Amino acid sequence: WKKLYLAHHWPVTVCKMSANDCQDPPEYWTIHGLWPDKGEECNRTWHFNVTEIKDLMSDMRHYWPDVLHSSPNRTQFWKHEWEKHGTCAATLEVLNSQKKYFGKALELYQHIDLNSCLLKAGIKPSSSYYQMTTIKEALTRFYGVTPKIQCLPPEKGEKAQTIGQIEFCFTKELQLRNCTALKGESDTMQPDLKLGSEELSVCSDTLPTYYPSKVQ
């Protein structure tokens, strides 16, 4: 693989996509995962062991919660992320254990600080719409790179898309880089978030964009 995606998702949109037991989703962007751009389940024998990340637990629950299942002792989401993506990312020395993988993802999340960047740009959850170009420009100005932004397409009768996920890309040296594919790179990352029939896709620049403050 060539690059890593640090995916943040907006809990309110995740809940909107799923008729699940979402209770009071966090009103801040949380971690969806840290994904190499290729590879899935690279080492099936390397099982998730929650005791390896016990020191990270309070941060994990806060910044990387299982939005869809509000029981705090549930570790299924992290297990899935480790087995599918972490075992692939572990070819890098800085990510070659569960503690390093989850710890580094938390560190990158704090470093990006997406929540405060959006607020500083005056972009906050609202019942009125945003232009996608406004959001993109604010992020690119702030970080100096182009992130990948995914939305829930408009439902029947709606005219707006709903923002759902913002991914930042990193090189293997963990430096920020553009998410657009470079020459000779294939961009094969499939969306990881598909709930029922609804799934996120790259946002349209022309549709009005909804950044919802609570689950409708």
Side-chain angles (χ1 to χ4, degrees):
W1 51 273
K2 297 266 198 312
K3 62 175 181 269
L4 283 163
Y5 289 86
L6 177 68
H8 301 67
H9 55 194
W10 181 242
V12 178
T13 303
V14 176
C15 290
K16 181 181 168 169
M17 290 171 69
S18 161
N20 217 307
D21 60 344
C22 265
Q23 275 141 19
D24 303 324
E27 288 182 25
Y28 50 89
W29 289 82
T30 60
I31 301 173
H32 183 177
L34 183 65
W35 309 328
D37 59 355
K38 279 199 189 64
E40 285 192 5
E41 295 180 8
C42 294
N43 183 348
R44 286 168 188 273
T45 60
W46 197 349
H47 296 300
F48 177 68
N49 175 1
V50 76
T51 56
E52 288 193 30
I53 58 167
K54 61 178 188 296
D55 303 354
L56 303 173
M57 217 37 133
S58 66
D59 279 354
M60 290 291 291
R61 288 197 179 118
H62 189 72
Y63 302 117
W64 200 330
D66 184 341
V67 172
L68 293 179
H69 307 92
S70 40
S71 59
N73 296 326
R74 203 185 137 88
T75 58
Q76 210 55 38
F77 181 37
W78 304 331
K79 174 179 188 288
H80 166 80
E81 290 299 316
W82 168 252
E83 287 171 0
K84 184 172 178 186
H85 303 289
T87 57
C88 305
T91 53
L92 280 190
E93 199 179 316
V94 290
L95 302 173
N96 68 3
S97 70
Q98 291 174 47
K99 183 156 188 193
K100 284 185 187 175
Y101 171 73
F102 288 105
K104 186 54 78 178
L106 287 164
E107 210 178 290
L108 292 173
Y109 168 87
Q110 302 281 16
H111 171 68
I112 292 272
D113 199 5
L114 176 62
N115 291 292
S116 74
C117 160
L118 287 169
L119 278 175
K120 279 181 191 142
I123 297 165
K124 46 187 188 289
S126 154
S127 52
S128 51
Y129 299 125
Y130 288 94
Q131 293 301 321
M132 180 45 61
T133 45
T134 309
I135 297 175
K136 267 193 188 154
E137 279 160 14
L139 294 172
T140 304
R141 199 169 58 239
F142 206 85
Y143 296 105
V145 293
T146 312
K148 180 176 170 186
I149 308 179
Q150 293 186 303
C151 290
L152 200 54
E155 285 169 30
K156 279 195 186 72
E158 284 185 352
K159 65 178 193 323
Q161 59 191 351
T162 306
I163 195 165
Q165 188 150 285
I166 297 179
E167 298 168 21
F168 287 90
C169 293
F170 290 87
T171 63
K172 286 188 161 181
E173 293 72 45
L174 303 185
Q175 299 297 315
L176 271 173
R177 54 155 287 181
N178 288 331
C179 282
T180 41
L182 297 172
K183 241 178 26 209
E185 245 180 42
S186 62
D187 210 9
T188 50
M189 220 17 230
Q190 292 310 309
D192 192 57
L193 197 64
K194 185 171 166 98
L195 305 162
S197 58
E198 300 201 59
E199 68 179 281
L200 295 171
S201 53
V202 173
C203 303
S204 151
D205 280 347
T206 53
L207 287 174
T209 305
Y210 189 40
Y211 180 11
S213 56
K214 43 183 162 307
V215 182
Q216 296 302 322

